[in-house]
Amino acid sequence: MRKTAVVTGASSGIGAATARRLAAEGFNVVLAARRRDRLDDLAKEIAGTVPGAAKIVPVTLDVTSQESVDALADAVGGCHVLVNNAGGAVGLDSVAGADLDDWRTMYETNVLGLVRVTKALLPKLVESGEGHVVNITSLAGHVAYEGGAGYNAAKFGAYAVNEVMRLELVAQPVRITEVAPGLVKTEEFSLVRFKGDEAKAEKPYEGVPEPLVAEDVADCVAWAVTRPPHVNIDRIDVQPRVQAAPYKLHREA
């Protein structure tokens, strides 16, 4: 029997790469995100490029809406793997100059969205007998850096939820894994952070010879979820070789 994986934030970047990779690993995949047109295109792409691709189902999802999350839970039959990837950063303000609306947006998606989706699908994960929740956080959730307070706070919160879940579900057949990437260059993460300013969006990657790409993170997810059911990979920290900390990168002149 094929297992089913639900991937949030699947319309681009790490989410889309993870959906492709899990389909290649033999999972049925539920693609969940706000932009339905992109999900439909991704579903067609996977069906056409992954040999023997299983069932790929696009579902419109806004993780900040309980009604939307409830509709996702109703649309999903069984669920073995949940990849909580929806989230992201907005702004690079100091605490003194913080835009609280940006902070609220980050908390709503990175923390409350993660909890809302997990809570809705947890009964199905337990029922599967081999459930697995993978939370995509960030090294920003473990090491603070100047200008990152809002994102740090949100991802520190996601990390805390991840750790508590492992404690609370220890008697249940559900594994809990955190994947915490460093600098990843995707088509949208930095662009969203800087609200469409392309020049600012490129600055974090300037001089960095080989940042991570979305497929690197998807590889970590695929490895974790394909371990034997009795093996729990607690946390994977992954960053490019030229990065030693969120604030320490080697840049070529």
Side-chain angles (χ1 to χ4, degrees):
M1 181 188 73
R2 287 184 186 262
K3 295 181 179 180
T4 296
V6 175
V7 181
T8 70
S11 61
S12 66
I14 292 171
T18 298
R20 293 186 187 99
R21 180 59 186 275
L22 293 183
E25 294 286 344
F27 286 86
N28 295 325
V29 183
V30 177
L31 311 172
R34 290 174 298 174
R35 294 175 293 187
R36 182 56 180 266
D37 57 335
R38 291 200 175 199
L39 297 181
D40 290 338
D41 289 344
L42 180 59
K44 291 176 183 176
E45 175 203 318
I46 293 173
T49 59
V50 176
K55 189 176 182 182
I56 309 298
V57 180
V59 177
T60 306
L61 172 69
D62 178 355
V63 299
T64 68
S65 163
Q66 187 62 52
E67 181 180 3
S68 181
V69 172
D70 289 343
L72 170 70
D74 290 340
V76 173
C79 181
H80 299 81
V81 173
L82 167 61
V83 181
N84 281 311
N85 169 71
V90 185
L92 199 65
D93 298 327
S94 67
V95 173
D99 183 323
L100 296 188
D101 287 335
D102 287 349
W103 281 54
R104 187 173 294 108
T105 294
M106 288 186 279
Y107 193 82
E108 281 283 352
T109 55
N110 292 287
V111 183
L112 297 184
L114 180 155
V115 173
R116 192 175 282 114
V117 176
T118 302
K119 182 179 177 181
L121 293 180
L122 190 55
K124 297 177 188 292
L125 289 158
V126 172
E127 185 181 3
S128 77
E130 293 185 6
H132 199 157
V133 180
V134 180
N135 295 311
I136 308 297
T137 62
S138 170
L139 291 182
H142 300 280
V143 180
Y145 59 92
E146 291 172 286
Y151 189 51
N152 288 146
K155 288 303 189 182
F156 267 85
Y159 157 69
V161 172
N162 182 88
E163 294 302 288
V164 172
M165 284 170 56
R166 190 179 299 113
L167 295 170
E168 294 178 345
L169 295 172
V170 68
Q172 301 294 337
V174 179
R175 296 182 286 175
I176 307 295
T177 296
E178 177 188 5
V179 177
L183 186 70
V184 184
K185 188 170 186 179
T186 64
E187 65 268 32
E188 291 190 345
F189 177 84
S190 194
L191 197 61
V192 170
R193 182 169 210 168
F194 293 105
K195 302 178 182 180
D197 188 319
E198 295 184 4
K200 287 184 178 180
E202 281 299 314
K203 289 292 271 186
Y205 309 108
E206 284 184 358
V208 180
E210 290 184 285
L212 297 180
V213 294
E215 288 74 17
D216 296 321
V217 182
D219 187 47
C220 294
V221 175
W223 180 75
V225 302
T226 54
R227 297 312 86 206
H230 71 286
V231 176
N232 193 91
I233 306 302
D234 287 7
R235 175 176 148 191
I236 299 175
D237 288 359
V238 56
Q239 56 191 349
R241 183 193 58 77
V242 294
Q243 183 174 30
Y247 51 82
K248 178 65 175 180
L249 277 158
H250 167 68
R251 299 179 188 272
E252 296 179 347

